[in-house]
Structure formats: C-alpha cells, structure tokens
Amino acid sequence: MRHFPIFIALEGRRVVLSGGGDAALAKLRLLMKTEARLTVFSEAPAPEIESWAGAGRLSLVRRRMGPGDALCAALFYAADEDAAEDARTVALARADGALTNIVDNLSGSQFITPAIVDRDPVTIAIGTEGTAPVLARAIKADIEAMLPARLGALARAARAFRGIAEALPMGRARRAFWSAFFFRSGPEALERGEDLQTVLDAQLAQHLGQATEPGRITFAIVASGDPELLPHKTRRILHEADLVLHGDTVSPDVLELARREAVFGPLPDHAAPLIEAAVAGEHVLCLMPSAPDTRIVAACHGAGLTPHTIPGIVPVPNLVPLEETA
C-alpha cells in the first residue's frame, strides 16, 4: 500500500482549505460532516460558502492564504483549481506543519480522501490509491445498497452501551452478544419501534445468565492458494476463529481473510493443542491441504469435542485440446 488507511480524530481540531469554487464546495460538504473547526481562505467565495460562514459552520477569511495561516491545522486542502496557487498554498501549509492535499492531484498530495459510505458512526472508506475514482464510486454504490440507513442508529446505541457490555467476558461471549444485537434483536426492535436501550438491557441479562459456550474445532481443506476458491463456509469461519493453525502451503492471501485479533500458528502433529484451546472456549480452525489425520479426529471425539470438516475446492487444471490426427 502506498497510502495507509487511517481514521483521524478531528473533533475540535483545525482543518484549513484554500479556495472558493466547485472543488472547495465538494470538499467542504464532506468536511462539514466532521467535528473539525473549518477555516476557508478565499477572495471570491461561492454563495454557499458565505451562507455556511453566516450560519457559523465554518470561518471564512476573504483573502488569499498567507504564511502562518495553517498553524496548528491537522489537515490542509488546496482547492483553488489553479496549479500555481495550489503549489503556493501547499508550500505554506507544509511549512506550518499541516498534512496537505491538492484536490485532483495525487502526486502533489501527502494524503488522499477516499470515497466514503456514511452511516454515522459507521464509516466505510474506499480507496484505489487515487488511480480509479470511477471504480471507487461503483464500489461505494454497491456498499450503499447493502447497508440499511438505520445501521447508524444501531451503532449509536451500541456505542453508548459498550461500557456496560464489558460485564461479559472478552472474546467469543462479547462477539456473540453484539452479533445477536446487530443482526437480530436490534433490527427487529427498530421495526417494532422499541427502545434500543431496553432491548440491550434485556439481552445482556440473558447473555449473562447463559453458561459459557464450549469451544469448537474446524478442519478446513485448502487445496489452492487462491482465496476466491475458498468455500463460503471456510471464509465465514476465518472471520470468527480465535486460533488459526495452518501449514506452509496456505497462502498469505488466504490468511489475510482471518480476523485481525486471531492468533496464528503451525499445524501440530497431535491433537493436544487443539483440544486444550477448544476446552478453554476458543474456536480453533485448522487450514490443511488434505483431510485431517484420523487419530487426531478420534482424540478430539475422546475429549468430548465433535470437530467439523469443510471440504476444499480443487482447482481444475487448464485443459489443452489434443491435436487432431489425420
């Protein structure tokens, strides 16, 4: 990655923009969704910018930007739509210590602004290193269609409740709690017009009263290094597993699909490590090139665990037609 994706905390921080035309308007419509303190420098600002300044949504300085105008700014946008003026203001902003972006100028920018799907506080950023904005917009449209508008309400309720939910043990118990809320009880409550806080209180009491779920062991056969050939079930479990054990033949592209919090390790030649982790409540996923050793499976059953095996998809080699014979 040439650009490392991060989310910058802008609450109460300065963001400075130079420009007053269409490029400035496009960036300001996005920046005004944040809690940053916006300052715009423009000798001829668009009427919309003047209106936003009058409403107190940003500070408008009706002149060209000068030295020191970007001091203490977290970000600076050059949006004058003039190459010479953009280069001048960027040099000033960098001297003041701000990270700088020139609108529609990838090589001259220190950061880029991705395409964004906004379900506040859920935010999805889509980047193509600035090389394919049309593709980024297409992906954005697809994700927009997938995510319901009410997702933001669920996320805001979860944010307020997160500290209370820490009464549950860290790990699978909390993931199960939040999965039940986001994908079942929360959407159902919104459909019925119920109070989400009440739903979360009742669900927490239910989960606290449940016994700790036992761990699981899954053997998944990975016959190819191509992640697109993984069965859907293997992909899903990669997102859930706590411990991912794999052989040398499993490609980094496949391992990249696992949860960031997962622990990785080599495949053992006996069942003890699998059983120990599963008894402790972890979901163990073994990625292997072929079916598991029957002795390991038998040992798991002997420990009261029922492992599950997911068959792999074997790639079909390219077939070369036989030459016709006379």
Side-chain angles (χ1 to χ4, degrees):
M1 291 184 292
R2 292 178 57 202
H3 294 82
F4 183 70
I6 60 172
F7 288 84
I8 298 177
L10 289 180
E11 181 181 4
R13 301 180 70 184
R14 284 192 84 205
V15 172
V16 176
L17 180 144
S18 176
D22 290 340
L25 286 170
K27 281 292 178 279
L28 287 170
R29 290 190 185 101
L30 179 61
L31 290 168
M32 285 191 299
K33 293 184 177 184
T34 74
E35 298 180 7
R37 294 188 296 110
L38 301 176
T39 301
V40 177
F41 289 88
S42 177
E43 292 180 301
E48 293 94 330
I49 297 176
E50 293 181 333
S51 175
W52 293 331
R57 301 185 67 183
L58 54 82
S59 297
L60 175 59
V61 183
R62 299 172 186 273
R63 62 170 173 80
R64 297 174 73 202
M65 182 175 155
D69 283 337
L71 283 172
C72 300
L75 303 176
F76 170 77
Y77 284 91
D80 281 289
E81 302 177 71
D82 176 271
E85 181 64 6
D86 286 340
R88 186 187 74 85
T89 58
V90 159
L92 293 173
R94 290 183 181 177
D96 289 340
L99 280 175
T100 60
N101 171 276
I102 304 176
V103 176
D104 292 332
N105 183 335
L106 178 65
S107 62
S109 298
Q110 292 178 313
F111 71 94
I112 56 177
T113 303
I116 293 174
V117 178
D118 183 8
R119 295 290 186 271
D120 182 43
V122 176
T123 306
I124 299 172
I126 304 153
T128 61
E129 300 281 5
T131 60
V134 172
L135 177 60
R137 284 195 293 271
I139 296 171
K140 173 180 171 0
D142 289 342
I143 296 176
E144 289 272 12
M146 290 169 53
L147 300 181
R150 62 192 180 189
L151 182 65
L154 295 175
R156 287 190 292 274
R159 179 171 58 188
F161 199 78
R162 187 158 298 278
I164 302 173
E166 289 180 1
L168 290 165
M170 185 178 294
R172 290 184 64 203
R174 289 189 197 172
R175 290 201 302 275
F177 172 83
W178 289 118
S179 293
F181 172 69
F182 280 114
F183 304 114
R184 188 175 65 251
S185 63
E188 291 173 358
L190 286 177
E191 289 284 351
R192 296 190 296 264
E194 296 177 357
D195 177 61
L196 292 177
Q197 176 72 37
T198 302
V199 171
L200 283 165
D201 286 334
Q203 183 176 301
L204 179 61
Q206 176 188 358
H207 279 246
L208 286 171
Q210 291 176 347
T212 303
E213 290 188 16
R216 290 189 288 160
I217 297 174
T218 301
F219 299 108
I221 299 173
V222 179
S224 167
D226 186 350
E228 293 186 5
L229 291 179
L230 286 178
H232 176 73
K233 186 175 289 187
T234 300
R235 281 177 166 269
R236 178 176 59 80
I237 293 179
L238 270 165
H239 290 298
E240 301 172 357
D242 302 295
L243 176 61
V244 179
L245 305 177
H246 59 92
D248 295 336
T249 59
V250 177
S251 73
D253 290 338
V254 170
L255 298 178
E256 186 68 21
L257 299 175
R259 288 195 313 122
R260 289 286 179 261
E261 299 84 1
V263 176
F264 297 85
L267 279 172
D269 55 6
H270 54 92
L274 315 183
I275 295 171
E276 181 180 354
V279 168
E282 295 187 355
H283 187 171
V284 182
L285 173 61
C286 298
L287 302 174
M288 47 213 327
S290 57
D293 190 307
T294 55
R295 291 169 296 180
I296 292 179
V297 175
C300 293
H301 280 287
L305 299 163
T306 304
H308 178 63
T309 300
I310 305 173
I313 298 176
V314 179
V316 178
N318 292 328
L319 300 178
V320 179
L322 295 174
E323 295 184 3
E324 292 186 4
T325 56

